[in-house]
Amino acid sequence: MKVFLNIFVTALLMNLELFCGNAGLSLGLPLFGATYFFVTFSPIHGAVSATLSALLLDVMYMGNCLTWPFFAMLAVFLTGNFAKYLQRQMPLSPLGSGALCALLVFTYNFFHALFSGVPAPGPDFFSMLVFQLAGGALFMTVMVWLFDAINFRCNLPKFCTAENKKNRLNGGRL
């Protein structure tokens, strides 16, 4: 079930990234899913998801260098370890890890546009930074809510752990 969920979510997020990329935005949506799998299942699930999705997107957009897959794997490792450092409590862990992942994607886009001479995604860098940080934090939080509910029903591990058992919203069940 873990492998099926990993493949399905990665494919879904890659399609959304292709849709956004064709509109001129580079959001790095598969990295958010890979971070979720890194924290929830294992680092191998996250690394494979990040590397393969970044490699496929680089090939589809005819990238001239393969720096994006290596950077994607590094970003997922940093973001996943940051989320584990925050003790995986809601809502701080998904907000923080989503903002960090978005900041790393923005950093890559900034340096890629600066050194390669390609146009930067978005109108200007400051508005793109604000959009990436806010959108990444909210996207990761919504994604964690959605996939934790699916994982709860499928009896799989969840991103957010219930440290404080008195304040759970699901009626006291695990």
Side-chain angles (χ1 to χ4, degrees):
M1 190 67 173
K2 289 180 186 179
V3 174
F4 172 74
L5 187 65
N6 196 340
I7 291 170
F8 178 74
V9 170
T10 303
L12 177 71
L13 292 176
M14 279 184 52
N15 283 331
L16 286 173
E17 180 70 22
L18 284 171
F19 180 72
C20 293
N22 290 337
L25 296 172
S26 175
L27 302 177
L29 297 178
L31 295 185
F32 294 101
T35 301
Y36 180 83
F37 296 129
F38 181 92
V39 173
T40 305
F41 299 146
S42 71
I44 299 298
H45 281 89
V48 168
S49 176
T51 306
L52 290 179
S53 63
L55 185 64
L56 286 173
L57 286 171
D58 205 17
V59 167
M60 283 184 208
Y61 282 121
M62 290 188 261
N64 55 0
C65 62
L66 296 175
T67 57
W68 178 238
F70 296 114
F71 185 81
M73 190 169 51
L74 176 69
V76 166
F77 275 116
L78 289 173
T79 308
N81 286 324
F82 179 75
K84 287 183 178 182
Y85 175 75
L86 291 176
Q87 299 174 354
R88 295 165 55 183
Q89 292 178 349
M90 195 62 138
L92 184 61
S93 182
L95 282 173
S97 60
L100 179 64
C101 188
L103 180 67
L104 292 171
V105 169
F106 171 78
T107 304
Y108 177 80
N109 288 335
F110 175 75
F111 284 115
H112 182 68
L114 187 68
F115 292 129
S116 67
V118 298
D124 64 302
F125 286 113
F126 180 72
S127 63
M128 191 63 190
L129 175 67
V130 171
F131 176 73
Q132 285 277 100
L133 288 177
L138 291 176
F139 180 75
M140 186 73 174
T141 304
V142 170
M143 190 178 71
V144 164
W145 281 337
L146 176 68
F147 293 131
D148 272 358
I150 292 170
N151 286 357
F152 175 73
R153 290 292 177 201
C154 295
N155 201 17
L156 293 172
K158 297 186 300 183
F159 185 91
C160 292
T161 58
E163 295 293 329
N164 189 359
K165 295 187 178 170
K166 290 187 282 185
N167 294 330
R168 283 187 277 152
L169 297 177
N170 60 3
R173 298 183 321 185
L174 275 178

